[in-house]
Amino acid sequence: MFGALCVPVIGASSFALAHETSPAAHHLDTVTVEGHYDNAIGTSDAASQGQVTRKLIENRPTLRPAELLEFVPGIIVTQHSGGGKANQYFLRGFNLDHGTDFATYIDGMPANMPTHAHGHGYTDLNWLIPELIGRIDYRKGPYYAEEGDFSSAGSARLGLRDRLDYGTAEVSTGKDGYRRALLMNAHEAGAGSLLYALETSRNDGPWENPEDFRRINGVLRYTLGEGANRTSVTAMAYTARWDSTDQIPLRAVQSGQIGRYGTVDPTDGGKTQRYSLSVNHQRAYDDGAFRLNAYAIQSELDLWSNFTYFLDNPTDGDQFRQSEQRKVLGMSASRSWDGRLAGLPMTNTLGVQVRHDRLSPVGLYTTVARTTTGVTQESRVRQTSVGLYGENSVQWSSWLRSVAGVRVDRYEFDVSSSIAANSGDASDHIVSPKLSLIFGPWARTEYFVNYGNGFHSNDARGTTARITARGGLPTDPVDALVRTQGGEVGVRTELIPGLQSSLAVWTLKLDSELLFVGDAGETEPNRASRRSGIEWNNRWAVQPWLLVDLDLAASRARFTENDPAGNRVPGAVDRVVAAGLSLTDDNPLANGWFGHLQLRHVGPRPLLEDNSVRAGSTTLAYLRLGHRFSRDLRLMLDVFNLFDSGDNDIEYFYTSRLRGEAAGGVDDRHFHPVEPRSLRFTLSARF
């Protein structure tokens, strides 16, 4: 279901200053007492860069953990399957599928999974505990030397809280079997602070075939030091299982064969688990700063899906299993130096990022009611990437700052496939220059010009494939790395007291949209494309306890190589509108009452290249109403889909076959409906 587009603060720098006079506002994270809206002038390199504070995060309800990304202006988070599967993401004219071209990090660990069983860049965020997120730093466009693979449309870095002021125990209950319990606290332990959190939840959803989604999350975090000099060690564990109601064909609903919340194959579903250990270290020096992050991740996934029903196998159906077992080791480190260039303040930064993924194995299998009947392709993959980057920031005058950077990335792939012809090695490298100019401030207003090259990688299996996994037809290997080019001009102002406003006009070109299609087990190359758009974001603190937000985003996506099939990019959303009104619990007028109302409209989009079939728009509202009975006890009511909209979460147009239909199947819309209006009650106690 579409969630409310929760809007962010264009606030403190994504990586706050260790030295306020430094021209590069991204040395180290700092721990501060945050308001809802921080001063934004002089802290960012682009109008589309910003930060979300913890106070904003805790004020707004979320239907799913991944909806935290909807704090980034213009992002849409939706779902076409079971609750334990990664969500669908949309931004800046991209159908990002499950994460491609938007990079997400949690406490320095990458969430995007390359060469994934269900799709390259797969970003599952169901293991997040929203109450532990301390802030979200977001960037859009390929203008930042630190950002590498998957970040052409943008990136978000979600930071975990190091300490808690008090313990929290919460219990939630709602319609359709929804239950959730959360316990979290922190204690002083030795020279540091030990934070722990445990969450368990279950949900059946509105589906005729109950989802039976069950998950357990645990976090243990130890932090030494604070502010610009601290070290954190974090262990996370997550496990989940669910049954799926995937997208369904419109004709089946119109004929009465199934209901709007029904399913064609009730045996679809999945199970997953994830474990990680990470270390974050940062230190400030007289001449700059040092940051180090290292992580180890182990994850597993089994996913059973059936999108075409009886098209390929009229007797037993088309269900398939996508499965993988993954181990990830990685690290990133950077060092910044403050200095002078002809007497002008200057900062230089050098960084390195290394990641190694080992999949043993990753595969696609035919199944019947979750029983494996055949192997389409099974591969063992070793994938290693190394990125080096440098950045120079110079304050040329009181009104001009430049940020110039370059990164070099090298990728190595080793694939051993059950299809012998698809085994092999591949490698590639790419150089990506960046440049930003920041003018001002004049009258509390700044102006930005940004340009940069970026890239996205492709699935390792596609770089060595010579035979299609289904059909055994000859095919050519795809390029391992695909270049992107983007530019942006923008303005940000705080001229009116209490109002922060930014406007950005952007464009982004892709040399090719090459994508490994996990459902088919093969790589499909798409044409080169161009996207462009405009974004206008506004934050208004009418009073410290009364907040108004408004975000408008419009985009245009086209293939740049003409084709008789058409030049529209399927799935590209052309507009997003979001508005929010918050009344915080520290207001002097409401005697302990607080609330938030969020409205989001998502415009229509083409489903075919010739624009002959289009998805409808979706408009949803969320409401939170709460009362604080005392300093330590409050009760909240969250209402999702407040006006009980009958819109759709997502729509596709493709060929499928139901029992009794012609052998060639039927071209039809396939959709996943938004969940109907639902209520959730949460009782939260501090201790």
Side-chain angles (χ1 to χ4, degrees), residues 567-648:
N567 295 325
R568 298 294 186 101
V569 178
V573 173
D574 60 9
R575 66 176 182 267
V576 173
V577 180
L581 176 67
S582 293
L583 180 70
T584 67
D585 61 4
D586 57 357
N587 74 86
L589 304 178
N591 193 27
W593 289 93
F594 59 94
H596 178 78
L597 175 64
Q598 192 74 28
L599 179 70
R600 189 192 67 183
H601 169 80
V602 179
R605 54 198 178 276
L607 298 180
L608 293 176
E609 288 86 343
D610 63 3
N611 202 32
S612 60
V613 181
R614 293 177 61 82
S617 60
T618 300
T619 303
L620 290 177
Y622 284 7
L623 173 68
R624 166 167 288 179
L625 183 64
H627 183 68
R628 184 177 293 281
F629 296 97
S630 67
R631 185 179 67 89
D632 296 327
L633 184 66
R634 64 177 185 167
L635 178 67
M636 293 173 288
L637 167 64
D638 294 336
V639 185
F640 300 98
N641 194 0
L642 177 64
F643 302 115
D644 204 22
S645 166
D647 295 334
N648 294 326

Side-chain angles (χ1 to χ4, degrees), residues 115-129:
T115 313
H116 191 272
H118 188 66
H120 191 56
Y122 187 86
T123 306
D124 180 9
L125 297 178
N126 287 293
W127 47 275
L128 287 182
I129 300 177

Side-chain angles (χ1 to χ4, degrees), residues 127 129 197-199 216-220 235-239 273-276:
W127 47 275
I129 300 177
L198 180 64
E199 176 200 36
I216 299 176
N217 271 336
V219 175
L220 192 64
M236 293 182 170
Y238 162 72
T239 181
Q273 57 186 16
R274 179 192 183 277
Y275 306 96
S276 66

Side-chain angles (χ1 to χ4, degrees), residues 354-357 382-386 410-414:
V354 180
R355 174 173 176 172
H356 176 74
D357 288 69
R382 307 291 183 268
Q383 177 171 328
T384 303
S385 63
V386 179
R410 174 77 179 181
Y411 278 68
E412 301 281 348
F413 306 99
D414 183 356

